[in-house]
Amino acid sequence: MKKPDIRLYGLIDPDNSGGHDLLWLTEGIARGGVTMIQLRDKKSETADFIRLAKDIKAILNPLHVPLLINDRVDVAFAAGADGVHLGQNDLDPESARRILGRDAIIGLTVRDQAEADAAPLDIIDYVGLGGVFDTASKVNQAPPIGLEGLQSLSESLRARRPGLTICAIAGISIGNTPSVLDAGADGVAVISALSGVADPTGAARDFRAAIDTALTVRGAA
Amino acid sequence: MKKPDIRLYGLIDPDNSGGHDLLWLTEGIARGGVTMIQLRDKKSETADFIRLAKDIKAILNPLHVPLLINDRVDVAFAAGADGVHLGQNDLDPESARRILGRDAIIGLTVRDQAEADAAPLDIIDYVGLGGVFDTASKVNQAPPIGLEGLQSLSESLRARRPGLTICAIAGISIGNTPSVLDAGADGVAVISALSGVADPTGAARDFRAAIDTALTVRGAA
C-alpha cells in the first residue's frame, strides 16, 4: 500500500488557470510547496493533452513532485505520468491498475456513503473525499458533505482500510484547512485558491505552512 | 501481421446516428454485412462510453464482427473491445500497442504523404486513408485526396509494407465504391450512408454486394 503525499494537492486545468501560463503556474506552485499535482483537461485532443502532460512532467521531475492525470488512463500511460485520479464516471480502478501497473498512484473520488462502501480500497492508493464545501471551480451535482460528512465518511473508509490516505476536495481555503485536517483528511486538493491569485507560489507556501502546522498539532494531540 | 477484414467498416457515432437507436443500428448493419465496426464518441463521459461499448460488443460477439474504439485506448481496454482506430491527434500507436497487447487490431488515419511516411507500419494493422471525397459527417481540414491520392498513397505505403490493409475514408457511396477499390483500397469506411437511411440493414447489404463484386472483378483481373 502506497502512501502518496497529498498534503497539498494542486490541480492544473486549462479551463481554470486564472489566465496564467500553465507551465509557469505548475512550476510556481511546485516551488511553493505543492506535494502532488493533478492535470485535468476535458477539452483538448488526446495528443495535445499528452504533450501538455509531458511538458508538465518535465518541469515536475527535478522537483520530485508526482503528476497524476484526471480521468484519462491512456494519457497517463502515454505521458509517463505517475498515476491517475478517477471520478465515479471515469474508468474503473481495476482496469486502470491493469493498464498502469502496481507502481502507479491511483486515486478515486468518493462523494457519499454508497460510493465509500463500493470503493475498491484494495486497488486504489487514496480517496478524494467531497465536495466538502461549495466551490466555483466545478459543478457539483450533490450538496457538499461538510465537515461532518468528511469525518464520518473518513471513519467509514478507514474502518475498512486503516491508514487510508484521504484528501479533502472542493472549497478548501487556508482558513478552513485546519478544520478539514482535524476532521480526518491527510491533505487538501486545491485549484482556484492557487491558480486564481497573482502569486501562486506565495499562495502555495502559505497553504503548506497552514497544513504542516495543523498536522503537527494533530500529531501532537 | 493481422489482416483485419475491413471490406465494409461501419462507424457508429451518437452524433451521427440518423436518429436511430445505436444498438438497433449496430445490429442492423452487422446483419446486413458490415465486417468491422468502429464506435466513435467524442462527448460522453468515460464510464458511459465504456457502457455503450460493452453493450455494442455484446451484440456483435455472436455475429463475429469485431468492435474497434475511436481514439480512446483506455475505453477499448476497459470494454474488452477488439482494438482501436487512432487519428493523428490521438494516442501514439506504440503506446496503444503496449496497453492493448499484440492481439488487438490497431488502425491509423493517414491523410497525406508526410503522414504516410511517418506511419509506424510495423505496429499498426491497417491504415484508414483519406478523406478521399468531401463528406458531411466530419470536418476535414485538408482537401480530399481523391482517387489519385488514394492510389499514390496506397502504393507508397505498400512499398514500405507489402500487403498492408488499407481502408478508404470519407464520402464513400455505393456508386463510387468500385473506383475506390480499383484505386487500391481493400474496403471502405462508411457512416452516414448506413446511419442516415431508413433501412440500414438493406444499405449494408447493398454495399457489401457492390464491394464483393468489385473485389471479385479485381481479383480476376
Side-chain angles (χ1 to χ4, degrees), chain A residues 7-129:
Chain A
R7 276 177 294 169
L8 180 56
Y9 189 7
L11 272 64
I12 298 287
D13 185 336
D15 271 355
N16 194 348
S17 66
H20 298 304
D21 173 81
L22 290 178
L23 302 184
W24 178 87
L25 177 61
T26 299
E27 177 157 8
I29 63 175
R31 290 195 181 281
V34 158
T35 57
M36 193 155 85
I37 279 183
Q38 177 187 141
L39 175 62
R40 178 164 71 193
D41 185 345
K42 291 293 187 186
K43 292 185 178 168
S44 292
E45 296 234 40
T46 300
D48 296 329
F49 193 175
I50 293 170
R51 262 188 294 272
L52 177 60
K54 284 183 173 175
D55 288 345
I56 287 179
K57 181 85 182 114
I59 287 173
L60 293 178
N61 271 346
L63 301 171
H64 305 287
V65 174
L67 171 66
L68 271 64
I69 303 295
N70 183 283
D71 179 10
R72 292 293 299 268
V73 178
D74 51 350
V75 169
F77 183 93
D82 300 283
V84 284
H85 183 87
L86 303 172
Q88 293 283 334
N89 294 320
D90 296 340
L91 213 71
D92 62 290
E94 189 185 347
S95 294
R97 178 63 71 198
R98 286 169 61 207
I99 291 174
L100 297 176
R102 64 179 183 179
D103 290 339
I105 301 169
I106 297 181
L108 178 68
T109 300
V110 166
R111 299 170 294 185
D112 55 32
Q113 187 64 52
E115 292 178 359
D117 292 342
L121 302 183
D122 52 330
I123 295 175
I124 61 176
D125 300 300
Y126 74 90
V127 161
L129 201 53

Side-chain angles (χ1 to χ4, degrees), chain B residues 181-200:
Chain B
L181 299 179
D182 202 47
D186 299 299
V188 298
V190 176
I191 180 163
S192 307
L194 295 180
S195 65
V197 298
D199 177 17

Side-chain angles (χ1 to χ4, degrees), chain B residues 93-119:
Chain B
E94 191 186 346
S95 293
R97 178 64 71 199
R98 286 169 60 208
I99 291 174
L100 296 176
R102 64 179 184 180
D103 291 340
I105 302 170
I106 296 180
L108 177 69
T109 299
V110 165
R111 299 170 295 186
D112 56 32
Q113 189 64 53
E115 292 178 359
D117 292 342

Side-chain angles (χ1 to χ4, degrees), chain A residues 45, chain B residues 87-89 108-116 127-132 138-145 149 153 157 169:
Chain A
E45 296 234 40
Chain B
Q88 293 284 334
N89 293 320
L108 177 69
T109 299
V110 165
R111 299 170 295 186
D112 56 32
Q113 189 64 53
E115 292 178 359
V127 161
L129 201 53
V132 179
K138 197 177 175 184
V139 177
N140 281 305
Q141 286 87 353
I145 61 173
L153 289 170
L157 287 162
I169 293 179

